[in-house]
Amino acid sequence: MDLELLKSLATPAKTKVLLCVVDGLGGLPDSETLRTELEAADIPNLDRLASESTTGLSLPVAFGVTPGSGPGHLALFGYDPLKYEVGRGVLEALGIDFDLHEVDVAARGNVCTLDADGKIIDRRAGRIASEETARICEKLREIKIPGVEILIEPVEGYRWLFVLRGEGLDDRLTQTDPEREGVAPKPVEALAPEAQTTADIVNKFVALALEKIKDEPKGNGILLRGFAKHPTFPPLPEVTGMRAGAFAVYPMYRGLAKLVGMTVAPGGGTPMSQLEAMKAAWDNFDFFFYHFKKADSAGEDGNFRAKVAALEEFDALVPHLRALNPDVMMVAGDHSTPSQLAAHSWHPVPFLIWSKLGARDGVDAFSETSCRAGALSVFPAKEVLSLAMAHSMRLLKFGA
Amino acid sequence: MDLELLKSLATPAKTKVLLCVVDGLGGLPDSETLRTELEAADIPNLDRLASESTTGLSLPVAFGVTPGSGPGHLALFGYDPLKYEVGRGVLEALGIDFDLHEVDVAARGNVCTLDADGKIIDRRAGRIASEETARICEKLREIKIPGVEILIEPVEGYRWLFVLRGEGLDDRLTQTDPEREGVAPKPVEALAPEAQTTADIVNKFVALALEKIKDEPKGNGILLRGFAKHPTFPPLPEVTGMRAGAFAVYPMYRGLAKLVGMTVAPGGGTPMSQLEAMKAAWDNFDFFFYHFKKADSAGEDGNFRAKVAALEEFDALVPHLRALNPDVMMVAGDHSTPSQLAAHSWHPVPFLIWSKLGARDGVDAFSETSCRAGALSVFPAKEVLSLAMAHSMRLLKFGA
C-alpha cells in the first residue's frame, strides 16, 4: 500500500521488527550444476528459518528493471522507487555524513584508469586503495572555477564525492560514466535548458581534472554519475510510528537509511560488530535495518564461490539475529547480483518473513527456486514494509 | 515498466529478440480428460524449450478481461492496452495497407446472413468466400451520402473495411454488431453529442446497404464494429532502440505491428514461408514479431482436436525458429481461445522466455498448469517487452 494509507492505518505496538538486507542476494543457476549460489551454499539456519516463515520473491522495481542500490533499498523500506527517486550523488553524500545544502548538486565519482587514447581500461582503477583516492582528491581540490564552490571528498576505495555549491545549479544532467570499458568517458549533457550552465561547469571541471592527474599510474581519470539534489521524503518513523535504527558497515546504506529518517548507528566494523551494536541498542528502536554487503561484492566480482561463502557467512549470523528475539524478522535482498553476470540484475529476489503470527507455507529452503512456490509468489518489494507492520500488529483494520 | 522509463533505460546491444505469438494460445481443460489443448497436444519441442526457459502466465489486460486481438498484441509489444487504445476499424485498415487519413473514421465490416425478420442467422455469412465479399463490396460502393466520402474495401473472407472520410467526423460510436446470433443488428448510437452527425451517416449507410444487398443468398446483411480514428503511439524502434520486423500471414497482425512502428514484411503464404522470410531478413532487424494464427481459428471454431493439431503444427516450427539463433526467444499468446468457449477468453496465457542468460525455473512442460508454477507467476503481458530487453542486455540499471 502507499505511504499515505500506511500512515493512516498505523497504530502503536510494543513489537520489534528486524529487516535483514543481504545485498545482491539473488542469483542465477550455474550452467553446469544448475544450482544458484543460494542453492550451492550450506545455509542450514536460513533453510530452517524459511521453513518457519512465509516466503516469496520480491520484485524490486518492476519487471525487467535492474535496480541500483538506492531503488533496491527504498523499495524494501516501503518507498515506491519509481515515485521516490534519489540520485547516487546524494546517497554518497549522506553516507559519509557530508552536510549537503539545498542548493548543492552532488555526484558519485569514480577514480578510473584511462589508456593513452583516453579510453577506459578499468572503471574502478584496479580497485585503488582509499589512501590513493584521498591523495588524488587533494589534487582535485586545487581546481577552482569562478562562481561556484567545488567540494571533493574521498569515500572509500575508488569512490569519491563531487559537490557543486552555488545558486541556480540544476541536477538534470547525464552521467560521464558510460558503464563499460573500452570507450572514453562521455561529456555531461544538460537534460533541460536550465541545466546547461551546470553542464558547462562540470565539463570544465573534468577537463581540468584530467590535466591535474594525468601522470597518476592508476587513477588518471574520473567518472561522474548520479547528479542529484537532496530530495525530501516522508520520514519512516512518522509514517509508521516506529523508531527506526540502521546498522550497516558501509556508508551508502547508512545514507539510504538516513534518507528515510532512520537513526543511523556509526558505520565501519564487521557484520558481527554491527550486530552487537544493534543488540546494545535493542531497547531504543522498534524497526531495525541490518545490512550485509558481501554477497553483492562477490557477485559483482563474478565470483560464484565467494558469493556462496558470503551467503554461508550470513547464515552463521542468523542464530545471533534470531537470538535478539524480534517479533518479525525478514531476510530480503535489494536486488539480485548473479555472479554469472558480475552485475546487478532484474531477477526477483528470495524473501522470507518470520513472525510469531507466521503462516508457514511449506517452503523448506531459502532459494530462488523454493521461494517462488511461497505464499507471497512474486510480489512488489515496496510491500515489504506493509507486510512487516501487519505481522507486527501495527496496522488497524481498513474500513469499518 | 512504462514506455517512458523503458526508453530512458534503453541501451544498444547486438542481441536479437524473437517474439512468437501463438494466437489464442491458452485453453481450458476438456471436461472428460481434464487436459487442455496444450496438455493434449504432442509438443516435445515446446516442452523442451520450456524446460530451458523462465515461464509464467501472462495476463493480457487485467483480471477477467477478455481481450480482442488489438489489446492482446499491443500488450505483448509493451503497450499498456488500457492506455493505448485502438479500434478494430483502424486495425483492418492498416492490415490491408489502406491509406487512412487523419480525418477518417474506420470500422470493421462483416458480411452476415439475416433472416426474413432481419435477425442474424450467421455473423460470418457461412464464412463466405473473399470473392463473394468483393462482389458485395462493389454493390456497397454505389452508395453515396452527401457531405462525406464512403470508402469500402474487401479484406478477407467475410470481412471488409468501412471508412468515412470528411471533416468533423467523430469515432465515439457504438457498434451495430450484437456479437451474437438470433437478434437484429443494432443501430449505431453516438457516445458523445459531437458524434451524432457521424452516427446518423452510418445508420443511413446501413439502411441503404440493406436495400442494395437484400437479394444476396448468403451475404444479405452487414455488421459494423470498432469505429476508430488513427491513433499515434510512440514507435517501438524509438522507444527500444531495436529495429523491429513483423512476419505474419494475416493482415490484422501486420496492421498491429505497423501501428507500433514495426517494419512489416509482405503477408500471405504459410507459417513456414513467413519463417523463411524472417530468416532472410535476420540481419535487418533486432526485434522479430512472428505470428501464428491457426490455434485461435480452431479455438474460435470450438474445435478441440483442430486446436491440438494447430499447436502441434507450431511445435514443429520451433526447431526452425530456434535455428535462427536468437539471443532471446519468447513464446506467447495474445489471449486464450478455449475451444470449449469457441471464443477469446480472459484466462492468463502460457508464456516462456528463453535466453542465453536464462534462469530455468524447473517447469518442464508448456501448458496452462505447468507455467503457473513458473518464475514469472501470473504477470502483466505488457511487461513482456521489458523482460525481453532485460534478457537481451538492452537496459541500463535504474538508479544508482
Side-chain angles (χ1 to χ4, degrees):
Chain A
M1 73 186 98
D2 65 29
L3 296 182
E4 270 185 44
L5 178 57
L6 199 67
K7 187 174 181 179
S8 74
L9 296 180
T11 188
K14 290 196 187 303
T15 47
K16 292 197 185 285
V17 174
L18 171 56
L19 170 64
C20 304
V21 177
V22 180
D23 208 299
L25 174 61
L28 285 173
D30 177 79
S31 57
E32 288 194 10
T33 67
L34 300 185
R35 293 199 295 184
T36 67
E37 297 91 332
L38 271 171
E39 286 162 351
D42 183 25
I43 48 170
N45 298 304
L46 280 167
D47 288 343
R48 190 174 318 117
L49 183 58
S51 76
E52 298 168 11
S53 298
T54 305
T55 66
L57 294 177
S58 66
L59 190 64
V61 180
F63 285 94
V65 174
T66 295
S69 299
H73 278 83
L74 284 174
L76 293 176
F77 297 157
Y79 294 70
D80 181 350
L82 292 173
K83 181 174 174 188
Y84 298 98
E85 285 192 75
V86 53
R88 186 83 177 210
V90 168
L91 297 172
E92 294 285 337
L94 289 171
I96 56 167
D97 276 325
F98 183 90
D99 180 27
L100 207 61
H101 293 195
E102 260 190 38
V103 298
D104 293 355
V105 168
R108 145 81 177 264
N110 270 24
V111 172
C112 71
T113 313
L114 303 177
D115 68 12
D117 297 332
K119 287 182 182 156
I120 303 164
I121 299 170
D122 188 324
R123 283 180 60 239
R124 299 181 182 92
R127 294 197 180 267
I128 194 169
S130 298
E131 306 77 52
E132 288 294 292
T133 299
R135 191 177 51 70
I136 288 166
C137 282
E138 284 300 329
K139 290 190 183 179
L140 298 178
R141 280 181 179 146
E142 294 166 9
I143 297 167
K144 306 290 172 202
I145 295 175
V148 69
E149 192 176 350
I150 299 169
L151 300 152
I152 308 279
E153 292 292 339
V155 175
E156 182 152 340
Y158 56 90
R159 286 155 46 194
W160 55 281
L161 172 68
F162 173 77
V163 175
L164 289 180
R165 178 166 295 167
E167 292 301 324
L169 294 172
D170 200 301
D171 62 359
R172 287 170 285 181
L173 303 171
T174 63
Q175 61 187 36
T176 77
D177 186 350
E179 300 202 25
R180 60 200 177 98
E181 287 154 7
V183 296
K186 297 189 279 190
V188 164
E189 287 170 33
L191 294 168
E194 300 90 327
Q196 191 57 54
T197 310
T198 314
D200 294 342
I201 292 168
V202 175
N203 286 325
K204 193 165 182 180
F205 172 82
V206 172
L208 295 170
L210 291 183
E211 187 57 32
K212 280 272 179 206
I213 61 175
K214 65 172 191 255
D215 296 328
E216 288 287 333
K218 275 173 153 184
N220 65 342
I222 61 170
L223 299 170
L224 296 171
R225 61 181 161 132
F227 290 95
K229 290 192 161 193
H230 194 299
T232 312
F233 296 163
L236 186 138
E238 266 184 39
V239 171
T240 65
M242 294 191 284
R243 299 167 298 164
F247 299 84
V249 172
Y250 290 91
M252 162 70 77
Y253 313 98
R254 295 196 303 277
L256 280 159
K258 200 181 288 182
L259 198 65
V260 298
M262 293 189 205
T263 301
V264 174
T270 64
M272 185 50 100
S273 72
Q274 288 292 339
L275 196 157
E276 290 296 336
M278 185 158 67
K279 185 175 177 181
W282 196 249
D283 290 341
N284 305 343
F285 301 105
D286 308 298
F287 179 93
F288 298 83
F289 160 49
Y290 177 75
H291 184 264
F292 182 85
K293 174 69 180 170
K294 289 185 191 174
D296 179 61
S297 310
E300 290 249 24
D301 287 342
N303 189 333
F304 191 97
R305 287 307 314 163
K307 186 165 174 193
V308 167
L311 294 169
E312 290 174 346
E313 182 181 335
F314 179 75
D315 186 74
L317 294 170
V318 169
H320 301 280
L321 292 162
R322 296 191 74 170
L324 296 171
N325 200 27
D327 297 273
V328 174
M329 174 168 168
M330 298 175 286
V331 179
D334 53 340
H335 51 74
S336 293
T337 307
S339 40
Q340 291 87 333
L341 296 180
H344 295 193
S345 81
W346 61 89
H347 300 88
V349 191
F351 173 83
L352 67 79
I353 180 166
W354 175 92
S355 86
K356 291 173 179 172
L357 311 167
R360 298 175 183 212
D361 58 12
V363 168
D364 59 2
F366 191 59
S367 79
E368 296 79 1
T369 314
S370 58
C371 289
R372 178 179 303 154
L376 292 167
S377 191
V378 179
F379 74 101
K382 67 178 173 170
E383 303 298 345
V384 162
L385 184 65
S386 305
L387 290 169
M389 291 188 70
H391 283 82
S392 60
M393 302 302 281
R394 288 177 170 274
L395 290 180
L396 296 172
K397 189 159 62 180
F398 174 71
Chain B
M1 75 188 94
D2 65 29
L3 296 182
E4 266 185 46
L5 178 58
L6 199 67
K7 187 173 181 179
S8 74
L9 296 179
T11 188
K14 290 197 189 300
T15 48
K16 292 197 185 284
V17 174
L18 170 56
L19 169 65
C20 304
V21 177
V22 179
D23 208 298
L25 174 62
L28 285 172
D30 178 79
S31 57
E32 288 192 13
T33 67
L34 300 185
R35 293 200 295 184
T36 67
E37 297 93 332
L38 270 171
E39 287 162 349
D42 183 26
I43 48 170
N45 297 305
L46 280 167
D47 288 343
R48 189 173 319 118
L49 184 58
S51 76
E52 298 169 11
S53 297
T54 304
T55 65
L57 294 176
S58 66
L59 191 64
V61 179
F63 284 97
V65 174
T66 295
S69 299
H73 278 83
L74 284 174
L76 294 176
F77 297 159
Y79 293 71
D80 181 349
L82 293 173
K83 180 173 175 188
Y84 297 97
E85 286 191 75
V86 53
R88 187 80 175 212
V90 168
L91 296 174
E92 293 286 336
L94 289 171
I96 58 167
D97 274 326
F98 183 89
D99 179 27
L100 207 60
H101 293 197
E102 258 189 41
V103 298
D104 293 356
V105 168
R108 146 80 177 264
N110 271 25
V111 172
C112 70
T113 314
L114 302 178
D115 67 13
D117 298 332
K119 287 180 183 159
I120 303 165
I121 299 172
D122 190 323
R123 285 180 58 239
R124 299 181 183 92
R127 294 197 180 267
I128 193 169
S130 299
E131 305 77 53
E132 289 295 293
T133 299
R135 191 177 51 69
I136 289 167
C137 283
E138 284 301 328
K139 290 191 182 180
L140 297 178
R141 280 184 181 145
E142 293 167 8
I143 298 168
K144 306 290 171 201
I145 296 175
V148 69
E149 191 176 353
I150 298 169
L151 302 152
I152 308 281
E153 292 292 338
V155 174
E156 182 151 340
Y158 56 90
R159 285 155 47 194
W160 55 282
L161 172 70
F162 172 77
V163 175
L164 291 180
R165 179 167 295 168
E167 292 302 324
L169 295 171
D170 200 300
D171 61 359
R172 287 170 286 181
L173 303 172
T174 63
Q175 62 187 38
T176 78
D177 187 351
E179 300 203 26
R180 61 201 178 97
E181 286 153 7
V183 296
K186 297 187 284 190
V188 164
E189 287 171 30
L191 294 167
E194 300 90 326
Q196 191 56 56
T197 309
T198 315
D200 294 343
I201 293 169
V202 176
N203 286 325
K204 192 166 187 180
F205 172 81
V206 172
L208 294 170
L210 291 182
E211 188 56 32
K212 280 273 180 205
I213 62 176
K214 65 172 191 257
D215 297 328
E216 287 287 334
K218 276 174 152 183
N220 66 341
I222 62 169
L223 298 170
L224 296 172
R225 59 179 163 135
F227 290 94
K229 291 193 159 191
H230 195 299
T232 313
F233 296 163
L236 187 139
E238 266 183 38
V239 172
T240 65
M242 293 191 284
R243 300 167 298 166
F247 299 85
V249 172
Y250 290 91
M252 162 71 76
Y253 313 100
R254 293 197 304 278
L256 279 159
K258 201 181 286 182
L259 199 65
V260 298
M262 293 190 206
T263 301
V264 175
T270 64
M272 185 50 103
S273 73
Q274 288 292 339
L275 197 158
E276 290 295 336
M278 185 158 68
K279 185 176 178 178
W282 195 249
D283 289 341
N284 303 343
F285 302 106
D286 308 298
F287 179 93
F288 299 82
F289 160 48
Y290 176 76
H291 184 264
F292 181 86
K293 174 70 180 168
K294 289 183 189 175
D296 179 61
S297 310
E300 290 247 24
D301 288 342
N303 190 332
F304 191 96
R305 287 306 315 161
K307 186 163 173 193
V308 168
L311 294 169
E312 290 174 347
E313 182 181 333
F314 179 76
D315 187 74
L317 294 169
V318 169
H320 301 280
L321 291 162
R322 296 192 75 169
L324 295 170
N325 199 27
D327 297 273
V328 174
M329 175 169 169
M330 298 174 287
V331 178
D334 54 341
H335 51 74
S336 293
T337 307
S339 40
Q340 291 86 336
L341 297 179
H344 294 194
S345 80
W346 61 91
H347 301 87
V349 191
F351 173 82
L352 67 78
I353 180 166
W354 175 92
S355 86
K356 292 177 180 171
L357 311 168
R360 299 175 183 211
D361 56 15
V363 168
D364 59 4
F366 192 59
S367 79
E368 296 80 357
T369 314
S370 58
C371 289
R372 179 178 303 152
L376 293 167
S377 189
V378 178
F379 74 100
K382 66 179 174 166
E383 304 297 347
V384 162
L385 184 66
S386 305
L387 288 170
M389 291 189 70
H391 283 82
S392 60
M393 301 304 280
R394 288 178 170 275
L395 290 179
L396 295 173
K397 190 158 66 178
F398 172 70

